[in-house]
Amino acid sequence: MGRVTVRRPVLRIRGDKRSQRPDTLAAEEPMEIRVGGRPLTVTMRTPGHDFDLAAGFLVSEGVVRSGSDIAGIRYCLGTAEDGSNTYNVVDVLLAPGVAAPDASLERNFYTTSSCGLCGKASLDAVRTTSTWQVADDPLRLDADVLAELPDKLREAQKVFDSTGGLHAAGLFTADGELLGVREDVGRHNAVDKVIGDAVRADGLPLRETILVVSGRASFELVQKAIMAGIPALAAVSAPSSLAVELAADAGLTLTGFLRGDSMNIYTGTHRLEDPKPEAA
């Protein structure tokens, strides 16, 4: 596996003081995802949990619906100029009877770490039909529990402390128990990784769970949550208009600007528990 962090020299300026010193950066490298040996896409990601990333991506694209749809995942071992292993190509073998990806999904250019939907031709093309319906999920949310989730997510980030440059996605129960967390330079990659972890444990649909992301809530992240059967998505920053539209259509609870005890709940407010009465 590639390095999660790298060290590079940097000129530090603090007021009138200057110093030269090494700095720790979050690694970003390309990873090609193949299905049955056939190239599907290339994404820029932080190395680590690559099999989770591949599995989660295939769920998001509607290629697989559960862990049983995947017969195996392996690295296609290549070598760099110095003879070291690159580990930057992952091949997914689908289970017998699972259809190969439609040719329209193939992307002939990079999916960058900031935009996982580059190359999609239209809004209709990304409104993938999900196997799981989240509108009838019985999840109930407590505002006090929601308020604690960003801090819990931050505490679980291991690489962020040394780089300050990674997004995180965490999966929680309604009681605030952390089920899984992943970090990556790309928001969508972090989400794919945390979903892929559940896929590989054959844990879909992820009913009665909350997906918490460290950045904004885009249309794509809402789509990924729906495709995994997650009924609630909470972000520390703003949602986009399309994210709110898709969440409303699907019956997903979408929360934005989740900071301290402040939050905006844009859709799915019926899942929020009534406030507890103050003690006399």
Side-chain angles (χ1 to χ4, degrees):
M1 178 170 39
R3 293 175 295 174
V4 177
T5 62
V6 296
R7 300 278 283 175
R8 292 289 185 270
V10 60
L11 175 64
R12 292 171 58 96
I13 300 177
R14 301 294 184 268
D16 59 357
K17 296 181 180 179
R18 300 187 178 192
S19 61
Q20 190 86 23
R21 55 169 293 179
D23 192 26
T24 301
L25 306 176
E28 183 176 26
E29 296 180 5
M31 187 184 86
E32 180 179 311
I33 299 175
R34 297 179 182 176
V35 177
R38 183 175 180 176
L40 179 63
T41 190
V42 176
T43 185
M44 299 299 295
R45 97 302 189 195
T46 299
H49 304 291
D50 290 337
F51 290 180
D52 291 344
L53 174 57
F57 176 83
L58 293 181
V59 167
S60 298
E61 295 294 339
V63 177
V64 302
R65 296 176 173 82
S66 67
S68 61
D69 287 346
I70 299 174
I73 306 177
R74 66 183 181 90
Y75 286 109
C76 297
L77 307 183
T79 55
E81 292 182 0
D82 61 1
S84 61
N85 214 311
T86 58
Y87 292 104
N88 278 337
V89 180
V90 171
D91 192 14
V92 180
L93 178 64
L94 299 179
V98 178
D102 187 273
S104 64
L105 286 179
E106 294 182 14
R107 304 175 186 180
N108 296 319
F109 44 82
Y110 288 123
T111 299
T112 70
S113 57
S114 61
C115 176
L117 288 180
C118 299
K120 293 290 191 178
S122 67
L123 183 62
D124 289 340
V126 294
R127 288 185 181 273
T128 312
T129 301
S130 175
T131 302
W132 321 112
Q133 301 300 315
V134 300
D136 61 352
D137 193 290
L139 174 71
R140 300 293 292 173
L141 298 171
D142 185 304
D144 291 337
V145 173
L146 278 175
E148 297 173 351
L149 299 187
D151 286 342
K152 289 184 176 181
L153 180 63
R154 175 66 182 82
E155 291 169 2
Q157 287 189 257
K158 296 179 180 179
V159 184
F160 182 89
D161 287 336
S162 59
T163 67
L166 289 180
H167 289 286
L171 194 66
F172 293 86
T173 67
D175 294 329
E177 176 188 354
L178 179 63
L179 299 175
V181 63
R182 293 290 185 267
E183 295 178 276
D184 200 278
V185 288
R187 281 185 298 270
H188 64 281
N189 285 341
V191 170
D192 277 341
K193 286 180 177 181
V194 81
I195 290 174
D197 178 46
V199 173
R200 296 176 64 210
D202 211 13
L204 266 57
L206 291 166
R207 293 178 65 81
E208 297 189 76
T209 60
I210 308 162
L211 178 64
V212 181
V213 295
S214 58
R216 61 185 176 86
S218 65
F219 177 96
E220 184 189 22
L221 297 193
V222 172
Q223 181 198 8
K224 289 179 183 296
I226 294 167
M227 294 297 289
I230 299 171
L233 171 63
V236 300
S237 192
S240 69
S241 61
L242 280 179
V244 174
E245 180 182 335
L246 179 60
D249 288 347
L252 176 139
T253 298
L254 179 60
T255 302
F257 294 107
L258 182 56
R259 303 167 185 176
D261 60 359
S262 175
M263 66 193 76
N264 292 344
I265 299 180
Y266 293 86
T267 63
T269 56
H270 64 281
R271 290 195 173 97
L272 196 67
E273 299 279 7
D274 292 332
K276 297 179 177 64
E278 295 183 4

